Amino acid sequence: MVSRVIPVEPFDLVLFGATGDLARRKILPGLFHRFAVGQMPGSARIIGSARSEMSAEAFRADVARAIREVAPDTPEREETLAAFLERLDYVAIDVGGEAGWSDLTRCLRNDVVRAFYLSVAPSLFAGIARQLDAHGLATRDSRIVVEKPFGRNLDTARDLNAGLRASFAEHQIYRIDHYLGKETVQNLMALRFANSLFEPLWNATHIDHVQITVAESLGIEGREAYYDRAGAMRDMVQNHLMQLLCLTAMEPPAKFTPNSVRDEKVKVIEALDPVPPEDIARGQYAAKAGGDGYLDHVGNPDSRTESFVAMKVHVANWRWAGTPFYLRTGKRLRARESEIAVFFRDPPHTIFPGTGPLKGNVLAIRLQPDEGIRLQTTIKDPGPGGFRLAGVSLDMSFADALGEEAQAPDAYERLLMDVIRGDQTLFMRGDEVEAAWAWIDPIIARFDDSRDRPAPYDQGSSGPEEALMLMHRDHRRWRQIGG
Ligand code: NAD
């Protein structure tokens, strides 16, 4: 199956923070890739901006280095790269000051799509938006893209929203959660709403529970200071896990339009019950023999920040009453693995003598690694000699099913092109982010007030004992990480 590439309209993209880690690792290589496959038109331009004074030539050389580090080395690459670099320009701006803005104004065209990507610390968002407005750059059709974290609680998220909305309308603001750019996450919507098989069963009558796991094998290397102020709740649950929960639990939107989809997601967040303390397990990865534990990494023996959290969540509405969603995420776990596993109820009765109780089907939607969908079913164990049953999985790995052509683009590539297209479906709306914080804040406040430390867990394990107990108490089991 050949994936179709539909070129986007010509654009000027201003990338603030163009010399930073995210720009060099994801955004610029992502744009290069879209250019290489013909989606970014030859007349599009990318204007890098950061504090450092440097020439456009020096910026291009730096971008070439960044792309060579991440883009595959093919014979065509250097030629394509040279053509891509011609599309780049650079303007030095310290966004706190007045210099540079008029240079930027001169760089921009009036007859193409205009987007500003703020790959800088969130504390700079409002100031940049204000300057863009003051210099007449925030035209009615221009777009502004902001990175996570979008606040560290409801109040800071509200301030960020107010700062952006002072200069841009909501339909111009693109809040990134790169999980939404993942192919499988979008496939979850296709699976649910483009097939008639699942939706009739997608409710508490037929689904026993849902497990959403985002496990990482790495620790917090290179982000120690940020992470110790955030923890797993702010870093992962408030955004990525919440998005996966919303897409799994939401009602079918009437149309696939940005606001119809996001309306349904907000309703899920607003339906979430508060989580009692006994339904949450927190953990912190312990030191190995030679140190190297969470507390060593952050250099603070008293840190009570969680590097793991597991919780039972109830979506209190007609569809989901009585079907819990279990969420879990953590660092330094057994494997890097993200999946949504939907556990259907056990068959109510068995007609097969001697086989014991029958197991419910499990639909596992894998986000990483090896994106795909697997349906656990029960079949007859082949061969003569009695009637035995066996579990087999109907396995659809996207790479196998769709071939190399379907190689999923990086989430950022998809999202960048959506910005140019003006499609906000895969971006978080302001009220959605605030609703998520409003639900998370009391949980974090309880962590802060508690004298309890997160439970230590072994590196390379599935998390602390407390997380296992959370499930055992309900006579259920977590799916094995890295299984
Ligand atoms: P970074 O520190 O590597 O880069 C920051 C960039 O901002 C640099 O180009 C720097 O020159 C520029 N900058 C800083 N102060 C400035 C000022 N006063 N005026 C103009 N430019 C200024 O940061 P990063 O890791 O690239 O992260 C950028 C944003 O993306 C942050 O909001 C971060 O939370 C978010 N983010 C990063 C990652 C990642 O993997 N790095 C992942 C998710 C989200």
Side-chain angles (χ1 to χ4, degrees):
M1 187 182 293
V2 179
S3 55
R4 282 189 311 143
V5 171
I6 303 168
V8 294
E9 283 178 57
F11 62 85
D12 284 347
L13 173 75
V14 181
L15 177 56
F16 290 97
T19 56
D21 174 66
L22 184 70
R24 296 181 87 258
R25 259 184 337 102
K26 290 286 183 189
I27 304 170
L28 290 159
L31 287 164
F32 169 63
H33 197 220
R34 290 295 99 197
F35 180 78
V37 299
Q39 192 163 27
M40 174 177 151
S43 60
R45 290 168 62 233
I46 298 157
I47 297 114
S49 180
R51 249 182 320 200
S52 334
E53 287 293 342
M54 71 171 128
S55 64
E57 248 350 282
F59 176 61
R60 288 187 194 117
D62 185 49
V63 173
R65 268 193 301 278
I67 289 173
R68 286 194 186 103
E69 277 166 28
V70 294
D73 190 0
T74 59
E76 311 83 50
R77 184 186 68 179
E78 288 303 312
E79 204 178 309
T80 316
L81 183 55
F84 176 72
L85 295 177
E86 279 177 26
R87 310 315 313 150
L88 303 190
D89 211 334
Y90 182 81
V91 178
I93 302 180
D94 182 333
V95 298
E98 287 306 318
W101 295 102
S102 39
D103 296 335
L104 182 59
T105 311
R106 277 193 293 279
C107 261
L108 297 178
R109 297 170 288 178
N110 286 321
D111 52 350
V112 296
V113 172
R114 183 179 290 183
F116 302 101
Y117 196 125
L118 276 43
S119 180
V120 294
S123 55
L124 303 178
F125 292 172
I128 297 179
R130 203 168 40 245
Q131 288 281 26
L132 292 171
D133 199 9
H135 290 85
L137 297 171
T139 49
R140 248 194 10 209
D141 293 331
S142 54
R143 287 130 217 198
I144 188 160
V145 186
V146 294
E147 267 298 334
K148 80 162 211 185
F150 200 84
R152 53 176 283 110
N153 51 33
L154 179 57
D155 287 344
T156 47
R158 278 189 178 140
D159 289 347
L160 283 174
N161 274 334
L164 292 169
R165 286 177 186 147
S167 309
F168 290 86
E170 181 62 37
H171 73 268
Q172 299 176 281
I173 305 173
Y174 291 71
R175 297 173 192 78
I176 294 239
D177 183 328
H178 73 273
Y179 261 58
L180 289 176
K182 287 181 186 285
E183 242 357 78
T184 322
V185 174
Q186 295 163 61
N187 242 317
L188 175 56
M189 285 190 275
L191 186 80
R192 286 193 58 195
F193 306 133
N195 295 282
S196 55
L197 184 61
F198 298 109
E199 202 47 31
L201 306 178
W202 210 258
N203 54 53
T205 310
H206 299 286
I207 294 178
D208 177 69
H209 73 284
V210 177
Q211 297 185 17
I212 301 180
T213 298
V214 178
E216 294 175 287
S217 51
L218 290 177
I220 52 168
E221 296 83 348
R223 328 159 53 209
E224 292 83 355
Y226 158 75
Y227 194 91
D228 202 38
R229 289 196 63 225
M233 281 302 277
R234 287 192 176 93
D235 189 48
M236 298 299 289
V237 178
Q238 188 273 342
N239 36 63
H240 307 321
L241 276 91
M242 188 68 88
Q243 290 297 324
L244 301 183
L245 169 66
C246 285
L247 294 175
T248 310
M250 73 183 188
E251 295 299 315
K255 295 186 210 114
F256 193 57
T257 59
N259 279 336
S260 313
V261 172
R262 297 184 303 174
D263 284 347
E264 296 306 334
K265 283 163 56 192
V266 174
K267 285 185 211 161
V268 173
I269 303 174
E270 288 175 344
L272 294 176
D273 272 345
V275 184
E278 63 274 19
D279 285 352
I280 302 190
R282 285 194 301 155
Q284 210 176 52
Y285 60 83
K288 295 186 280 196
D292 197 31
Y294 181 86
L295 299 176
D296 306 303
H297 289 169
V298 297
N300 173 10
D302 297 323
S303 170
R304 287 188 292 129
T305 303
E306 74 287 352
S307 63
F308 175 99
V309 66
M311 60 206 295
K312 178 162 87 166
V313 171
H314 290 286
V315 182
N317 63 17
W318 194 286
R319 183 186 284 261
W320 293 115
T323 289
F325 286 71
Y326 296 90
L327 314 183
R328 119 185 111 151
T329 182
K331 303 280 182 196
R332 292 257 169 144
L333 296 176
R334 181 176 289 145
R336 174 171 178 262
E337 189 175 271
S338 301
E339 71 164 21
I340 300 165
V342 179
F343 285 70
F344 289 88
R345 293 197 186 280
D346 295 341
H349 168 70
T350 177
I351 62 168
F352 306 109
T355 53
L358 298 175
K359 287 234 166 51
N361 303 102
V362 181
L363 180 72
I365 299 141
R366 253 172 303 145
L367 276 63
Q368 62 193 23
D370 186 20
E371 296 194 48
I373 294 171
R374 192 185 290 173
L375 178 64
Q376 189 69 30
T377 55
T378 303
I379 61 157
K380 178 188 168 296
D381 204 4
F387 199 99
R388 291 182 304 274
L389 298 174
V392 293
S393 66
L394 305 178
D395 202 342
M396 193 178 87
S397 150
F398 293 157
D400 293 348
L402 305 178
E404 257 183 42
E405 292 291 350
Q407 270 278 323
D410 186 79
Y412 273 95
E413 296 179 32
R414 160 86 206 208
L415 296 175
L416 282 159
M417 293 300 101
D418 279 359
V419 170
I420 305 303
R421 279 194 209 100
D423 185 345
Q424 289 184 304
T425 310
L426 300 177
F427 295 84
M428 294 178 297
R429 208 167 56 189
D431 58 340
E432 192 181 344
V433 184
E434 290 184 15
W437 279 123
W439 180 73
I440 293 271
D441 271 0
I443 301 174
I444 295 180
R446 214 167 51 219
F447 290 172
D448 291 345
D449 292 344
S450 161
R451 303 184 69 81
D452 297 342
R453 301 182 68 92
Y457 60 93
D458 289 339
Q459 296 182 35
S461 73
S462 302
E465 192 64 24
E466 283 72 0
L468 303 182
M469 293 312 296
L470 183 73
M471 275 288 189
H472 285 183
R473 221 179 48 201
D474 293 347
H475 308 290
R476 296 183 175 112
R477 294 162 67 121
W478 290 106
R479 273 165 71 83
Q480 191 174 336
I481 295 174

